[in-house]
């Protein structure tokens, strides 16, 4: 699964990697947690990167507070799921921009955080789905997204049980395909594969990242992404 990730690069780096218009209030996030806003590029508006909440709220939900998790969509069964199938059918796909993600090794009984990054590029995109929910009383619009997952590769599996999940990281050549409205749903799902082990790296980070909020303030600072031996 993927419940916490990072997008720490500056605007100039984002613009170099993705030729899109950025929101004026974009800020790097070293500890992006559920309900916070991430940066996504949608198939409907591929020329802009927009902020949406992490944790998808289906358009049919009664409120934005759900009693089930929508942080991740399991790619193997997404086409049969009430929450995800309509989004795939209607091409509500998006690129979730990132430069790393966290997972926790719990084999010792205590959660030990690791950060995963790519060797071949600093910025990348998770395959995502997005939805728009509207409050029936106030007409307030709430846009949100989920991250597709697949079986873990060996790099991620070393932290958890080999049967663990990992986010779908798209190859650069696959990003345009994920946003294409000409691709069939089966062809879209064929893109949801584990990222190659030789193109990934991981390292331990401080347990400070375990907390998303400290004293009612978002726990978000550059030291969170540093390898443990460099602190």
């Amino acid at each position: 699964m993927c419940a916490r990730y990072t997008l720490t690069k500056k605007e100039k780096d984002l613009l170099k990697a993705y030729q899109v218009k950025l929101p004026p209030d974009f800020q790097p996030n070293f500890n992006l947690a559920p309900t916070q806003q991430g940066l996504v590029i949608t198939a409907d508006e591929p020329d802009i990167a927009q902020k949406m909440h992490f944790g998808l709220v289906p358009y049919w939900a009664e409120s934005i507070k759900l009693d089930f998790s929508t942080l991740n969509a399991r790619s193997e069964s997404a086409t049969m799921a009430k929450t995800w199938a309509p989004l795939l059918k209607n091409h509500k796909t998006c690129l979730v921009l990132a430069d790393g993600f966290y997972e926790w090794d719990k084999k010792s009984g205590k959660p030990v955080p690791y950060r995963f990054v790519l060797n071949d590029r600093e910025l990348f995109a998770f395959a995502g789905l997005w939805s728009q929910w509207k409050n029936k009383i106030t007409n307030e619009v709430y846009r949100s997204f989920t991250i597709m997952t697949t079986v873990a590769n060996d790099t991620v599996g070393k932290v958890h049980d080999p049967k663990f999940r990992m986010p779908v990281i798209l190859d650069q050549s696959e990003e345009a395909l994920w946003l294409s409205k000409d691709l069939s749903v089966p062809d879209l799902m064929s893109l949801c594969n584990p990222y190659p082990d030789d193109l990934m790296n991981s390292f331990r980070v401080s347990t400070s990242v375990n907390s998303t909020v400290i004293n009612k303030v978002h726990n978000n600072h550059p030291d969170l992404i540093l390898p443990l031996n460099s602190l």
Side-chain angles (χ1 to χ4, degrees):
M1 65 178 293
C2 180
R4 209 94 64 78
Y5 69 96
T6 63
L7 182 57
T8 69
K9 303 305 179 189
K10 296 180 180 179
E11 287 188 18
K12 64 178 182 178
D13 299 313
L14 287 167
L15 292 172
K16 184 177 180 180
Y18 296 93
Q19 289 70 50
V20 293
K21 183 178 180 180
L22 297 177
D25 56 348
F26 168 75
Q27 294 291 329
N29 197 327
F30 301 86
N31 191 11
L32 206 155
T35 74
Q36 292 178 10
Q37 290 184 315
L39 208 57
V40 306
I41 301 171
T42 70
D44 287 347
E45 299 174 282
D47 296 329
I48 65 172
Q50 52 191 299
K51 296 168 76 173
M52 292 190 189
H53 297 273
F54 181 23
L56 188 141
V57 176
Y59 69 91
W60 43 260
E62 291 298 321
S63 76
I64 61 173
K65 294 184 178 180
L66 306 176
D67 58 4
F68 56 98
S69 177
T70 56
L71 299 177
N72 299 152
R74 191 179 182 92
S75 59
E76 296 88 342
S77 57
T79 59
M80 299 176 287
K82 174 186 176 182
T83 304
W84 317 128
L87 301 177
L88 288 165
K89 181 180 178 181
N90 291 287
H91 292 278
K92 295 301 181 183
T93 55
C94 65
L95 303 179
V96 180
L97 304 188
D99 58 13
F101 64 96
Y102 299 110
E103 298 292 357
W104 281 260
D105 186 344
K106 299 179 181 179
K107 293 190 289 290
S108 66
K110 295 181 180 180
V112 178
Y114 284 76
R115 185 170 185 246
F116 293 82
V117 295
L118 302 191
N119 295 329
D120 59 335
R121 53 201 163 117
E122 292 186 343
L123 275 162
F124 58 87
F126 300 123
L129 299 174
W130 72 280
S131 183
Q132 177 172 296
W133 177 88
K134 182 179 286 188
N135 188 305
K136 295 178 182 178
I137 299 175
T138 65
N139 287 325
E140 175 191 2
V141 170
Y142 187 93
R143 287 187 165 190
S144 57
F145 67 91
T146 189
I147 295 172
M148 305 295 295
T149 66
T150 185
V151 293
N153 60 18
D154 290 339
T155 303
V156 179
K158 288 177 183 177
V159 172
H160 283 272
D161 184 281
K163 295 181 181 179
F164 190 63
R165 311 286 297 170
M166 69 176 292
V168 172
I169 300 170
L170 296 168
D171 182 85
Q172 282 181 298
S173 63
E174 297 172 333
E175 292 178 353
L177 293 173
W178 185 253
L179 294 185
S180 173
K181 294 197 174 188
D182 296 325
L183 231 60
S184 67
V185 172
D187 285 342
L188 279 175
M189 303 319 295
S190 72
L191 303 176
C192 295
N193 302 304
Y195 204 70
D197 282 290
D198 61 334
L199 298 180
M200 290 189 69
N201 189 24
S202 66
F203 49 86
R204 282 187 61 180
V205 294
S206 170
T207 54
S208 296
V209 78
N210 292 5
S211 300
T212 58
V213 176
I214 297 178
N215 295 326
K216 298 183 179 181
V217 176
H218 177 208
N219 182 26
N220 178 33
H221 55 85
D223 287 353
L224 294 175
I225 66 171
L226 295 178
L228 195 62
N229 58 10
S230 68
L231 296 174

